[in-house]
Amino acid sequence: MHNRSFLRCENVTQDTASVRTFALRVLAKEMAEQCDMGKYLILELPDQDGVIQQRNYSIVGRPEADLVEISVKDTGRSGISSQLHSKVVVDSLLLSAGVGGAITVDSLADVQKVAMFAGGIGITLPLALIRQLDMRAKKKIWTPSVQLFVSVPSLVELPYLDELLAMALSSAWLDVRIFLTQEKFVSDSKLFTSGRPQRADYKEMSVPDIAVICGSKGFVSENRDVLNHLFPETKLLIENFTQVSDHVRHSADGDEASCNVTVYGTDQQHQFSKGVTLLGEFDRCHLKIKSQCKSGICGSCRVRLRSGSVRSDGDFALTPRERENGYILSCCSYPTSESICIEI
Ligand code: FES
């Protein structure tokens, strides 16, 4: 997956006050071939401090084989998304470190019922899938029924609103519910509801074969727990791009404690900061660990903790049995003891 390529920005549209869609021409043919809608582009860009960062963005549109669209929300913070908003214009060149992700329309083949849960800009992945299902339905290709729950603070903050409504009105297989978490909305229609989805809303669904969840870490955790409880047989497909920072998170009292790390089966010892993910510190020490999503989803950065303790923040990939056996995700784990031993 890690074929690097430059991308040339060909168009920028302002979708909402804080969301822009960038149309990017993929200049390397090999990468262009991998750009299925629903997968994500790994973009590399300096943040406001000039530190190169990576961030993943779902491919929400693919108007041409080598032209892809990503939608980016400016969070107002100093990360890559804000840099994209402030720096990238038509003809800007961007660098991508590859294409990742495995959730595409093919993931929904041969199932009857799909549920999708999107939080805010997390709508991009469900929309990519729904757009493709819509194309298939128009060609009379089998389409599962889809129930989409979108949660967003207010209506004006939801990109693609018109398109979603138009598809929902014209498609028997698509049912959309929009939850306005911070806006009062008086309507008899079930389309718009004020407040977050309640258990009763989930219970009204017929049991989905597959549920796609996309949003912030908190949103994903909440929905995963509800779905595991109500529909234990449902297969969950999760995407969460709240990337864990590799930078030192200075504690309030300025304490930057370190941890002595031994690499199991070798005589290598390293000092890791307790405020940085293990993956970030492995990288700094030139210890090669496979990684892809850097947000606890794909499981590729799995390592085994042989001794000591860590805090894992946002692990969505490991099974309970793997955790019992000491496996941890290095992209979202921080040392908490004075020393640890890791098998890589
Ligand atoms: S890199 Fe994907 S789970 Fe860590």
Side-chain angles (χ1 to χ4, degrees), residues 119-135:
I121 192 63
I123 187 60
T124 49
L125 171 60
L127 184 74
L129 301 175
I130 289 169
R131 281 175 167 176
Q132 287 189 294
L133 290 172
D134 190 50
M135 279 192 276

Side-chain angles (χ1 to χ4, degrees), residues 279 290-302 317 329-332:
L279 186 65
K290 267 204 283 179
S291 68
Q292 189 176 356
C293 69
K294 294 190 178 172
S295 52
I297 303 291
C298 71
S300 61
C301 64
R302 191 182 84 149
L329 297 177
S330 51
C331 72
C332 55

